[in-house]
Amino acid sequence: MAMASTVKLVLGVIAFAVFWVLAVFPAVPVLPIGRTAGSLFGAMLMVLFRVITPEQAYAAVDLQILGLLFGTMVVSVYLERADMFKYLGKLLSWRSMGGKDLLCRICLFSAVASALFTNDTCCVVLTEFVLKIARQNNLPPQPFLIALASSANIGSSATPIGNPQNLVIAVQSGIPFGKFVAGIILAMIVGVVLNCCILLSMYWKILSIEKDVEDASAEVVAEEEVHSHRFSPATLSHFESPANAENVCSVFDGLVEQAAPSEGAGTGADLKLSHSTPVDNTTVRFSHSSFERERMSNASRNQLGSVAINHERDEGVSSRRSLKTFIQNRANGEDGSPSILSCSDEKGGLIDKWKAMLWKTCVYLVTLGMVVSLLMGLNMSWTAITAAIALVVLDFKDARPCLEKVSYSLLVFFCGMFITIEGFNKTGVPSTCWDTVEPYARIDMVSGMVTLTLVIVVLCNFASNVPTGSRVAASAASISSSSETKAWLTLAWVSTVAGNLSLLGSAANLIVCEQARRTQAFGYTLSFWTHLKFGVPSTLLVIAVGLPLIRG
């Protein structure tokens, strides 16, 4: 692709530089608008400067990647509700020997999961979970987040469905699924082990710090909090709690008070409260004695009536207290007898338990079906969306609470990034750089391999790995006409691992960074420089060790 005109070239580079700065440093003092708004701002500048047309901007938005991200986010919410991450947390923590052991387990699990689910999906699903596991073990989240993103990128290199650029390379090269895996799997395994060793060497000290047993308040998160959206079965009868027993007692209090005689009423009567009739129709019967009434004076009648009323009032208070205590004890089963609704509670609890088990099974089966469909090579975007909609339907309730947990700001960020990178590619800078070094990039020579690796690493971290992989893939045959298959696999390996260099090198890095920042109660900001200090040595060493292990 030829270079654009000077004006378009300069304006395009300016717009891309603005996007790059705001994406790397979201809190720039002169324009602290954040990554998402910065991405849209860069896209707007590309269109405003006429580097690309509005139609080209719309076409640049990769709906397949957005659909894949949206679908997997929804699936991850339902997996949380189905206690998937509770079981996963127990598995990762089973016989764990500390922070170093946990870091190695996360590296291994992330690599395997990304090879099956794609690296973006793996990072969407596991970021919040990794934060909670680190908090549960009272460990700093930084090494675990870097381990998740970097291992996901390395692990995704092993399969054609591991990441988008691998899919492009597999389609254009026509390499079968099994041959693709066999050619890179050894390099991937060694790369994951080496990456884990680099993480351990960099964070050995902070992972060796023992828990502060004196600080009980900050020790761990409860085991139940390892998953945040637990499935709640239908509620049982409203009589099952002691608080509701109080409400029943208050009703009886009102009824008994209505039945109590008012002060001064029925003077001269021997009052006897009858409990033989219903409480709301209580009758107060008076035993009248004509002989005594004729002999008693008015003063004695008033005195006797007052004494009788006070006596009955005391008995009424005592009766109400006894009744309240009886209802509470029966509701709680504390009087030695079975609870009032014990039978119905047990029956309802058993039904709800089976409902929850059936629903969880359905969630796991749908997720398994999604994985099988991805392995069969079906459209990744529609596979994830279909699984998400299937779970929404099976839940059989308003899906708004689950859909509100989707990171729409991340989806908007990707929209702006796609447009901005497309505008930068339209300037011709990436293609010109590649055309300049292509004659020297030959995989059958050490110097050519070094040149190829460095160019791809730089382009992937400025122009994104997917466009770079697509552009370089078109020249695979010229890179090595004798070993074309090895050339394709080399491009897949280098363009994938190169994403570990910086936050902007891979979409998986940005997903981990944004998901970690917006997570409630466990939020953590992974800075550009923190990632870069690890990314540079890890990327260069893993690529260098893995290249000789690729088999064409």
Side-chain angles (χ1 to χ4, degrees), residues 451-464:
T451 302
L452 174 66
T453 300
L454 292 177
V455 171
I456 293 178
V457 168
V458 171
L459 289 179
C460 284
N461 284 273
F462 279 93
S464 183

Side-chain angles (χ1 to χ4, degrees), residues 238-239 241-253 327-328:
H238 59 277
F239 291 106
S241 66
N244 289 327
E246 289 288 344
N247 296 334
V248 177
C249 292
S250 65
V251 173
F252 278 93
D253 285 345
I327 293 175
Q328 289 177 333

Side-chain angles (χ1 to χ4, degrees), residues 70 83 94 156 161 175 204 236 254 257 278 311 327 365 472 552:
F70 174 79
D83 292 344
W94 182 65
S156 69
I161 63 171
I175 300 176
W204 185 270
L236 300 179
E257 287 175 359
H311 177 69
I327 293 175
L365 289 177
V472 177

